[in-house]
Amino acid sequence: MHLRALVLLTMAFLASSVCASPQTRNVVLVTLDGVRVQEVFGGLDEIIAAHSALQHYSDMETVRPRFIGSTAEARREALMPFLWKELVPRGVIFGNRDRGSVMKVQNPFCFSAPGYTEMLTGAPRAEVDSNDVRRYPHQTALEVVSRELQLPFGAVAQIGSWDGFASAAASGDGLILTSGAYDPLPARFSTPEIDELVSLRKDVLGLWEEGSEDVLTLRIAQRYMRKQQTRLLWLGLGNSDDWSHADRYDRLLVYLNRADRLIGELWSTLQADERYRDRTTLVISTDHGRGLQGKDWSEHDCSIPGSEFIWAVVAGPDTPATGEARNTGELHQGQIAATLLQYFRIPAQALGPEARPPLPGTLVPRNSP
Ligand SMILES: [Zn+2]
């Protein structure tokens, strides 16, 4: 080959490989515990609303007019306007079975700890069969990113409203920064503002014993990301599951609407910060679905139909604006782990041969300008 042609070819190869590398530098995973595909894709579900309206403690009468609409599109935009008007048009959402996109858990339990483990380790793990707060030996995407990129402690973090999030985040103590339901942050990563929020978490009486208040958790994460550049954050929110278990559909709808707004605010603060602007990918998903009827929507396990269906949203500089994914076939919860890893150029196999591949079309190489 002529030398000049060889040089040009080499330059073209280098240019294409440079351009194929992700623009994402930071990734934020937000999980909303036990949020059904019915609400995400269809907004207010009249079957559950009718059940809720019969309960003397329900405020469905006041809540329902805020979220009704003649189409699924109108209802879901009323319920989660940031998700549907801002995020999905710039990214992709999986799990709408009406469009041929099915997303399921593969663990046989359909509750939290098995779900988060599958999501973060890339595959279902049979021995994770309870919600007991304990560690398992499987590596997670969070610890793999921290180790492979040799990041300083604190650059990968988990901040959440339940202690189970902290134990599911890594296979051992001290591998990444974790903060469960009421944990303070280590002093060198905290600020007086964060300390104040941590102390409020203890004072606010949650609906159940295990979880703290998501608004405070989210504000702590927001402040943390401002103080410390966070390359990979898992923000675990849990109050959607709390209100659902309490059979308060009215409160769940109000919660989802508020969580959507707060996630939107988090996203805007990241876009206003040059360390994160246009270099951050946001992934949002859930650990399990729930029942489909008034009598069982508040519960979930794999014997209750509907509990296996989940959804996921991905948006960021490397994800084409596909909107609602169509005809994807069946996707699985374990694919989220490799989806997170790909933005750090780490293959799924880093989690073991059983790790599922990334969600399709969430990282598309850009053409050279
Ligand atoms: Zn639950």
Side-chain angles (χ1 to χ4, degrees), residues 12 50 65 86 106 116 147 166 190 202 212 235 254 260 295 357 362:
E86 305 287 330
Q106 287 187 299
Y116 292 114
R147 189 189 62 226
S190 199
K202 290 182 197 144
S212 55
L235 169 62
V254 173
D260 174 81
K295 63 176 168 38
T362 52

Side-chain angles (χ1 to χ4, degrees), residues 1 4-14:
M1 188 185 286
R4 190 160 168 269
L6 184 68
V7 169
L8 284 175
L9 201 66
T10 310
M11 284 171 64
F13 172 76
L14 285 173

Side-chain angles (χ1 to χ4, degrees), residues 44-46 48-68 248-253:
L44 178 145
D45 179 342
E46 291 289 5
I48 316 296
H51 154 84
S52 175
L54 296 174
Q55 293 153 330
H56 67 89
Y57 49 76
S58 168
D59 195 26
M60 207 63 219
E61 216 172 288
T62 321
V63 169
R64 190 172 167 278
R66 290 175 57 188
F67 303 120
I68 50 173
R248 289 296 302 266
Y249 196 60
D250 53 334
R251 300 295 279 164
L252 173 70
L253 296 174

Side-chain angles (χ1 to χ4, degrees), residues 21-28 87 90 225 229 266-282 315-319 343 363 366:
S21 68
Q23 297 192 359
T24 296
R25 188 167 166 76
N26 321 289
V27 176
V28 178
L87 209 56
R90 296 190 185 131
M225 290 189 81
Q229 182 170 2
L266 173 69
W267 187 242
S268 330
T269 59
L270 294 180
Q271 295 308 318
D273 182 330
E274 61 180 28
R275 295 169 299 171
Y276 299 107
R277 185 187 310 129
D278 299 331
R279 307 175 81 191
T280 302
T281 290
L282 179 60
D318 302 299
T319 305
Y343 299 111
L363 172 64
R366 282 152 190 279

Side-chain angles (χ1 to χ4, degrees), residues 214-253:
D214 282 345
V215 175
L216 300 172
T217 298
L218 194 138
R219 293 279 185 241
I220 291 169
Q222 208 165 354
R223 306 280 184 294
Y224 180 78
M225 290 189 81
R226 187 189 297 161
K227 177 173 169 65
Q228 157 80 41
Q229 182 170 2
T230 317
R231 300 289 303 280
L232 174 56
L233 174 81
W234 173 25
L235 169 62
L237 303 177
N239 297 160
S240 39
D241 196 60
D242 300 339
W243 288 117
S244 301
H245 280 298
D247 199 6
R248 289 296 302 266
Y249 196 60
D250 53 334
R251 300 295 279 164
L252 173 70
L253 296 174

Side-chain angles (χ1 to χ4, degrees), residues 182 200-209 211-213 216 243:
Y182 300 101
L200 270 175
R201 264 175 142 185
K202 290 182 197 144
D203 288 338
V204 171
L205 187 64
L207 195 53
W208 309 109
E209 292 76 15
S212 55
E213 169 57 52
L216 300 172
W243 288 117

